[in-house]
Amino acid sequence: MSDAEESPREETENDGEAEMEEEENPNYSEEVENMQQESKDDDTVAGRDSQGESEEAGKTEEEEEEEAVREGTEEKAGAAQEEVSAGGQEETTVKLQEIAKPVISLEKLLPTESQSAMSETFPKTHGGGESKHSLPSEQPISPSSQLEFLDLALPSSEEQQMSSPEWQSSDELGENADQLPQDELGQESRDLAPEKGERRQGKRVSYLIEEKEVQPAAGISKDSLVSTTAEDILFQKDDSDSVYPLTMTWSFGWNSSLPVFYVRDATQRVLLYASAHTAVIYNVSKNNQRHLQGHPNVISCFCISEDRRWIATADKGPNCLIIIWDSFTSIPVHTLFDSCPEGNGIRAMAISQDAKYLATISDAEIQKVCIWRWTLAVETPACTLDLPKEYGFQNCLTFNPTNNKELVSNSKTQAIYYLWHEEGDILIHSAPLLTEKTFNKHVGKFSQSIFHLNLTQILSATMEGKLVVWDIDRPPPLVDGPPAIAPTSSGLPCIKPCKLVHLQKESITVLTTVDSCIVTGDAKGHIKFYDHTLSIVHWYSHFELSSIKSLSFSKTPATPPTEKSNYPPDCTLKGDPFVIRNFIIGTSDATVYHLTADGTKLEKLLVEPQDAICAISCHPYQPLIAIGSFCGMIKVWDYERKKYLFSRIFEKGFGVQSLTYNPEGALLGAGFTEGTVYILDAMSLENETPEPFKYSRSNVTHISFSHDSQYMATADVNFTVAVYRVRVKSGQRVWEYLARLRSHRKSIRSLLFGVHLESSEPRLLSLGRDRLLIEYNLLRSNRDHLEVLDIHRTDQDSHPTCMIWYPPLVKERFLLISNSGYKVKLFNSTTKMCRKTLLGPVYGSPIEQIQILPVKTTIELQKRYLVFINTDKVGLQILPIDGNPHKTSAIICHPNGVAGLALSYDGRYAFTAGGLDRSVLQWEINLRSWKTIFTILSSVVKESTQWRPEKCQNTFACRNSLLS
């Protein structure tokens, strides 16, 4: 056992076997520490000493044997780690959380419920929930009973998706896992002894810590950051020092099919929106982002509490998750792992007004409605309800603002009212069928439903500009609980359609309420306000916006009008000032606006592509990135200052498929989905040629420039390679078409220019899925004739996926080719002979693209790295390639598929395009962290030449935790 491992044990053994008592029940760590320090409070010390003696006397022989076995395991593990400690690595002090401290329910942090039918107790669940009984608020709560139903694990918001949940122990959770303060539990609960449940929990964490072979550190924080934070400190945190090889630093683009929320507005504007599998909290004033990472799939829905403190996000796909976050600290306070065992994910969700309950609707063929008591940290819903297929896919869900036991949802054809009987955990619903015969008029398809301001009605908006008004029939409260009869029987709550109101001609896309107004947003970009009688009060129609997708109002009430105020008049005869809160507008063209009601000031906050993003390219010597979208937009950003510079939108039907800067950075080649090729000025995006080239009939997937910018080559989905070159005419450089050739039988995977070894002439190669590597003779090619120099077959079985020039780490020059069998091959660049075959990165799918990380100094030429992407991940690999799996690291970047990869000119950042998720993610590359991790892993692997399964398991556990 190493000295580092022996010293803590020796100290505790010298204290009257306090160490054995702590291992038997780790939750007494605080008491042992107090005994060692001889606390000033004699009464407390005496009480705790007597309690420790009784606990030690009650040990069984079986527990002592278990103690001896565990000590032996630690000695073996310490001996195995001596070589790692001697390797000169930096010691990492892991802060373990103090589990002994009692915790309280997150309900303490939530606003009290007002005007609701909220019960004072939580009975045992009968409808699928298994939550424990909650003690009445007026009674003291013992730590053990509280721990039974609140076991929050709060991992850091910077935690990456690579590590599995079973490897997350308290040392990985950091200070964010600190438990809630003990002072709120009451004086009587502090002296109560922990029960068996607490003892069992402490043992579980102790074993996990010993398995990871870490030692507790001194100075453990006692207060949870979530419970002690009363204001927003999110953008006060310093995240400059990253411990991960790849860290997301910025997200370009957002998912405009989901809403955008107004989070803060007191001193600065803060927005919440979704981008791929990440929720982004964006501070407009500071131009800063915080990323809520943790989902393995693209976020399908999310919501935020009324006080803007709690954020709930959900995804759709395999291993789908529901995560509740604290927006003040970006800490995830609870994660639901088995919300959809079928893997269908969540289609809609809502959080109650008091933020105590979360309701979800699954995305399965038979949808399931669930209500979760998430503040109790339970893993099962309090109640569930399966909806018949005839109801259609419910895609909108809302709580009653004044009664968290009532909900409403709707599909395109059916509105459903829910009433939750908490006493029996039964969810009753009413879904009357609405047809055109109901009102003898065409109703249209539903878009959204809400509760009326009068609380006795429900409003459902339609795509025909109409509102369906439903009356809620609430019978008297049932004394003995709800009867087990069908919801349509008499005596149960139900809704009935009573009125059809034709509000406007345009389709109503958004329906919400604020203060005393009912608000609608429509397909023409108009926003209208109505009173409780559905009489119009005010509207905004002169902004010429596209279809409204979301409206989010400020948490801060509107300022009363004064003499200096400039509120617009309302529609009444008096013309009183129309006083309304400031709000955020999200539109279908991926634009976000902020409207200041006082003065009617509309400001653009975000203008992003509204269609798939497949084309990205970084400038060769400036911090610029060009992003192209299928909507025809090319946008250029300064990625260091996170500032939008300029853009160009092409005519409709011109979708940008590929982008590439030339080596000098003066030109930008753009390939489009309908076959057109543009050569643009890099700083203005103006045409460099009088007319674009139109020699292809399909998507131009690849563009490449030669090292001297004398040639440009393109490849399209019809397996054709086209070449363009520069000619001097009348003293000006002019680009002209040279030739094209349908050289492959399957899709072209890579198109590369190189340089001949014996001369400075460029050479051109293409690699196809047909396993053919073709080099072209540019010198002998002429107008309409592209000559082939040689053809070589790269594989017999697997098909190639990408190709790059291997850096000159040795005298021989190579081409690096990756294939679908997770292999990488090195081919001699002249003879095309395969010189070596090695195992490539194995992360669920083969490599799709590879780029060599640029270097800034000559010293770094012998320490090279490559960046790769596969179907859904981006990763790093240390060169030279030798098949060592520990020299690679990867992280999920775009769960629905990565469409493009680009590297900054200085090698500090990698950029990934997400295709259909309409986002581009910027990743900071931390080579120092990666070198440290690789050295640790290599030391562990080399310490034994024999095959030891238990050591291999620990090695991979270490690898997963370090790379997470």
Side-chain angles (χ1 to χ4, degrees):
M1 183 179 294
S2 64
D3 296 338
E5 291 176 321
E6 289 176 353
S7 56
R9 183 171 297 278
E10 290 174 358
E11 293 176 4
T12 55
E13 286 176 352
N14 292 335
D15 246 339
E17 298 182 354
E19 180 267 348
M20 291 188 65
E21 181 179 347
E22 180 175 350
E23 287 196 14
E24 182 64 25
N25 193 343
N27 291 339
Y28 284 159
S29 59
E30 183 179 358
E31 298 176 5
V32 174
E33 182 180 354
N34 289 336
M35 291 195 309
Q36 292 174 352
Q37 296 178 358
E38 297 183 358
S39 172
K40 297 179 181 179
D41 192 347
D42 297 336
D43 296 337
T44 304
V45 172
R48 290 178 178 175
D49 287 340
S50 61
Q51 184 178 2
E53 292 174 2
S54 62
E55 188 71 28
E56 182 176 353
K59 285 185 178 181
T60 63
E61 295 181 1
E62 180 181 356
E63 291 171 337
E64 293 177 356
E65 292 176 3
E66 182 182 359
E67 180 76 16
V69 172
R70 186 159 58 253
E71 289 178 1
T73 305
E74 286 185 354
E75 292 176 0
K76 294 179 181 180
Q81 289 294 330
E82 287 180 356
E83 185 174 347
V84 181
S85 302
Q89 299 299 320
E90 287 184 288
E91 275 188 32
T92 302
T93 302
V94 182
K95 294 184 178 181
L96 302 181
Q97 303 308 313
E98 187 175 27
I99 306 173
K101 195 161 193 179
V103 295
I104 63 171
S105 171
L106 277 178
E107 295 181 8
K108 301 279 187 182
L109 302 177
L110 302 176
T112 59
E113 183 181 11
S114 60
Q115 302 178 2
S116 68
M118 178 66 183
S119 175
E120 293 297 330
T121 61
F122 296 96
K124 181 175 285 188
T125 300
H126 298 289
E130 298 178 357
S131 61
K132 303 290 186 297
H133 290 278
S134 173
L135 297 177
S137 58
E138 64 269 11
Q139 297 179 1
I141 303 174
S142 68
S144 58
S145 62
Q146 191 71 29
L147 280 171
E148 285 184 356
F149 64 87
L150 178 57
D151 186 14
L152 295 182
L154 311 178
S156 169
S157 65
E158 300 298 330
E159 182 179 4
Q160 310 291 331
Q161 293 93 321
M162 290 177 53
S163 63
S164 301
E166 59 265 26
W167 290 110
Q168 298 177 3
S169 63
S170 60
D171 60 324
E172 289 174 326
L173 302 182
E175 66 176 5
N176 299 338
D178 294 342
Q179 301 182 358
L180 303 179
Q182 187 177 0
D183 297 334
E184 303 180 32
L185 291 175
Q187 184 66 29
E188 295 183 14
S189 65
R190 302 182 186 183
D191 299 327
L192 298 180
E195 295 179 0
K196 293 181 180 180
E198 185 178 354
R199 181 194 302 269
R200 189 163 50 249
Q201 181 189 12
K203 274 192 176 183
R204 177 181 62 82
V205 179
S206 175
Y207 295 157
L208 190 55
I209 291 172
E210 290 172 5
E211 183 178 88
K212 291 174 65 67
E213 300 177 358
V214 296
Q215 297 297 329
I220 299 175
S221 176
K222 295 184 179 181
D223 293 330
S224 166
L225 189 60
V226 175
S227 63
T228 58
T229 301
E231 60 181 8
D232 188 3
I233 63 169
L234 182 61
F235 294 97
Q236 301 174 11
K237 297 164 59 178
D238 184 15
D239 296 338
S240 57
D241 295 332
S242 174
V243 297
Y244 307 111
L246 289 167
T247 304
M248 184 193 302
T249 59
W250 198 261
S251 174
F252 302 91
W254 66 289
N255 188 351
S256 56
S257 61
L258 296 178
V260 55
F261 291 106
Y262 205 164
V263 181
R264 309 275 186 273
D265 64 342
T267 58
Q268 50 198 3
R269 296 175 188 167
V270 180
L271 311 180
L272 171 68
Y273 55 85
S275 178
H277 64 313
T278 304
V280 180
I281 302 178
Y282 174 46
N283 189 320
V284 180
S285 306
K286 294 183 177 181
N287 193 30
N288 201 354
Q289 289 183 353
R290 286 293 182 269
H291 305 112
L292 309 183
Q293 296 176 257
H295 286 280
N297 308 295
V298 171
I299 293 176
S300 58
C301 57
F302 64 108
C303 59
I304 190 169
S305 62
E306 184 66 22
D307 62 355
R308 306 300 196 269
R309 177 74 189 265
W310 311 104
I311 299 169
T313 59
D315 60 68
K316 195 162 50 170
N319 302 317
C320 56
L321 302 176
I322 299 175
I323 306 178
I324 295 91
W325 314 78
D326 175 21
S327 68
F328 285 2
T329 59
S330 74
I331 294 175
V333 296
H334 188 44
T335 301
L336 300 172
F337 291 96
D338 298 322
S339 58
C340 293
E342 302 85 4
N344 299 298
I346 305 300
R347 190 179 186 93
M349 68 190 315
I351 193 168
S352 61
Q353 187 84 359
D354 56 7
K356 291 184 178 180
Y357 305 114
L358 183 70
T360 61
I361 299 181
S362 67
D363 197 41
E365 185 177 0
I366 298 178
Q367 290 184 293
K368 179 178 291 186
V369 183
C370 300
I371 297 180
W372 307 80
R373 295 187 180 101
W374 71 270
T375 59
L376 304 185
V378 294
E379 298 298 328
T380 55
C383 62
T384 62
L385 173 66
D386 291 338
L387 300 178
K389 297 181 182 178
E390 299 79 41
Y391 290 172
F393 284 106
Q394 303 289 310
N395 49 31
C396 173
L397 181 64
T398 306
F399 271 96
N400 187 337
T402 59
N403 184 355
N404 53 21
K405 305 301 183 298
E406 292 184 331
L407 302 95
V408 63
S409 70
N410 69 264
S411 63
K412 292 183 178 180
T413 58
Q414 191 86 46
I416 306 177
Y417 164 77
Y418 308 89
L419 178 62
W420 176 27
H421 284 276
E422 190 178 7
E423 292 77 9
D425 278 333
I426 296 178
L427 192 61
I428 298 174
H429 75 286
S430 173
L433 182 62
L434 188 65
T435 65
E436 294 185 4
K437 295 182 180 180
T438 306
F439 299 108
N440 291 325
K441 291 182 180 179
H442 181 60
V443 177
K445 296 182 178 180
F446 295 129
S447 57
Q448 290 187 4
S449 298
I450 61 170
F451 285 88
H452 196 287
L453 297 171
N454 59 21
L455 307 179
T456 62
Q457 293 177 323
I458 291 175
L459 304 177
S460 296
T462 73
M463 301 305 290
E464 298 295 327
K466 302 175 183 179
L467 278 184
V468 177
V469 182
W470 309 81
D471 279 337
I472 305 177
D473 184 10
R474 299 184 180 98
L478 299 175
V479 178
D480 298 330
I485 55 178
T488 56
S489 302
S490 60
L492 291 181
C494 63
I495 58 173
K496 300 177 181 178
C498 67
K499 189 185 298 184
L500 181 65
V501 182
H502 198 161
L503 286 183
Q504 58 190 54
K505 295 181 181 179
E506 298 82 14
S507 301
I508 300 176
T509 55
V510 176
L511 180 64
T512 186
T513 60
V514 58
D515 297 330
S516 60
C517 293
I518 298 170
V519 190
T520 65
D522 58 42
K524 284 195 173 182
H526 302 166
I527 303 169
K528 300 179 181 180
F529 298 81
Y530 301 86
D531 62 13
H532 67 282
T533 65
L534 297 182
S535 298
I536 192 163
V537 179
H538 189 71
W539 71 89
Y540 297 102
S541 60
H542 59 283
F543 295 134
E544 297 182 355
L545 307 179
S546 60
S547 178
I548 306 296
K549 297 294 290 184
S550 66
L551 295 172
S552 180
F553 289 85
S554 169
K555 182 182 69 172
T556 306
T559 305
T562 61
E563 294 181 356
K564 297 182 180 180
S565 299
N566 189 21
Y567 288 103
D570 60 19
C571 298
T572 62
L573 294 177
K574 294 182 180 180
D576 295 330
F578 178 66
V579 181
I580 199 69
R581 308 182 187 208
N582 300 337
F583 58 96
I584 293 293
I585 308 169
T587 61
S588 59
D589 60 354
T591 305
V592 177
Y593 301 88
H594 178 271
L595 191 141
T596 305
D598 189 359
T600 316
K601 303 173 184 176
L602 187 69
E603 179 184 356
K604 281 186 181 180
L605 302 183
L606 294 174
V607 182
E608 300 295 344
Q610 59 180 325
D611 215 332
I613 299 176
C614 294
I616 54 174
S617 180
C618 287
H619 197 277
Y621 56 86
Q622 291 186 12
L624 305 178
I625 181 172
I627 301 174
S629 169
F630 280 6
C631 65
M633 175 189 290
I634 297 179
K635 199 171 184 180
V636 179
W637 289 78
D638 183 333
Y639 55 76
E640 285 189 349
R641 296 187 297 161
K642 312 298 187 293
K643 184 179 180 181
Y644 157 72
L645 299 179
F646 48 87
S647 63
R648 177 178 175 180
I649 300 178
F650 293 83
E651 60 186 273
K652 190 175 182 180
F654 280 63
V656 184
Q657 179 70 55
S658 53
L659 289 173
T660 302
Y661 282 99
N662 74 329
E664 287 80 17
L667 303 176
L668 178 65
F672 288 79
T673 54
E674 39 73 58
T676 303
V677 176
Y678 278 81
I679 300 179
L680 308 173
D681 180 85
M683 293 295 109
S684 64
L685 299 183
E686 297 294 333
N687 291 355
E688 278 291 309
T689 57
E691 294 293 333
F693 298 108
K694 179 64 175 171
Y695 292 95
S696 177
R697 302 184 185 91
S698 57
N699 290 10
V700 178
T701 56
H702 296 79
I703 295 182
S704 182
F705 285 92
S706 62
H707 70 286
D708 54 3
S709 297
Q710 295 297 309
Y711 290 91
M712 181 184 74
T714 64
D716 58 33
V717 297
N718 287 335
F719 328 134
T720 302
V721 174
V723 179
Y724 307 85
R725 64 181 176 183
V726 173
R727 286 297 183 95
V728 178
K729 293 183 179 180
S730 302
Q732 294 184 347
R733 293 163 52 92
V734 179
W735 285 91
E736 67 176 17
Y737 166 76
L738 178 62
R740 60 195 301 264
L741 178 66
R742 195 172 191 267
S743 51
H744 291 273
R745 301 189 303 272
K746 293 184 179 181
S747 61
I748 298 174
R749 305 297 300 176
S750 293
L751 187 66
L752 287 180
F753 274 100
V755 181
H756 284 284
L757 296 178
E758 63 275 4
S759 66
S760 60
E761 293 296 326
R763 54 191 299 197
L764 176 64
L765 302 96
S766 66
L767 178 68
R769 203 172 185 274
D770 54 5
R771 305 181 183 87
L772 297 182
L773 173 61
I774 302 177
E775 183 170 1
Y776 304 89
N777 193 333
L778 297 178
L779 295 178
R780 296 194 176 186
S781 299
N782 49 50
R783 181 75 179 188
D784 295 328
H785 176 68
L786 183 59
E787 185 167 324
V788 174
L789 181 62
D790 55 45
I791 301 176
H792 290 82
R793 189 178 182 89
T794 61
D795 289 274
Q796 297 295 327
D797 226 358
S798 304
H799 61 81
T801 57
C802 58
M803 170 179 66
I804 58 166
W805 292 103
Y806 194 69
L809 300 177
V810 293
K811 294 182 178 180
E812 189 175 2
R813 295 299 305 275
F814 294 110
L815 283 166
L816 175 64
I817 297 179
S818 173
N819 66 22
S820 60
Y822 298 94
K823 301 295 191 300
V824 291
K825 296 185 176 183
L826 295 177
F827 289 82
N828 183 281
S829 62
T830 303
T831 64
K832 311 297 191 309
M833 180 182 295
C834 180
R835 303 284 284 119
K836 188 179 289 187
T837 301
L838 301 162
L839 176 67
V842 181
Y843 289 99
S845 60
I847 295 176
E848 297 290 337
Q849 291 185 40
I850 296 178
Q851 290 193 28
I852 301 298
L853 200 64
V855 294
K856 295 178 289 186
T857 62
T858 55
I859 300 177
E860 299 175 344
L861 289 176
Q862 297 302 318
K863 299 179 180 179
R864 305 301 298 272
Y865 302 81
L866 63 81
V867 182
F868 63 87
I869 59 174
N870 62 3
T871 300
D872 60 346
K873 299 178 184 68
V874 59
L876 280 171
Q877 178 161 10
I878 301 175
L879 297 180
I881 295 178
D882 55 7
N884 186 350
H886 300 294
K887 294 175 69 173
T888 62
S889 169
I891 185 173
I892 295 176
C893 56
H894 300 277
N896 281 3
V898 191
L901 172 68
L903 300 180
S904 63
Y905 71 97
D906 54 2
R908 293 176 55 198
Y909 300 105
F911 299 86
T912 56
L916 295 177
D917 66 20
R918 292 165 282 182
S919 67
V920 173
L921 303 182
Q922 178 178 348
W923 304 87
E924 183 179 10
I925 300 174
N926 188 351
L927 296 180
R928 181 179 180 182
S929 169
W930 182 220
K931 293 175 185 176
T932 303
I933 294 173
F934 171 66
T935 305
I936 294 174
L937 295 176
S938 300
S939 301
V940 174
V941 172
K942 291 178 181 178
E943 68 183 40
S944 176
T945 58
Q946 297 180 354
W947 173 253
R948 297 169 59 190
E950 67 278 2
K951 179 55 61 179
C952 182
Q953 182 178 2
N954 290 336
T955 300
F956 281 101
C958 178
R959 178 192 182 197
N960 287 337
S961 62
L962 288 173
L963 300 185
S964 64

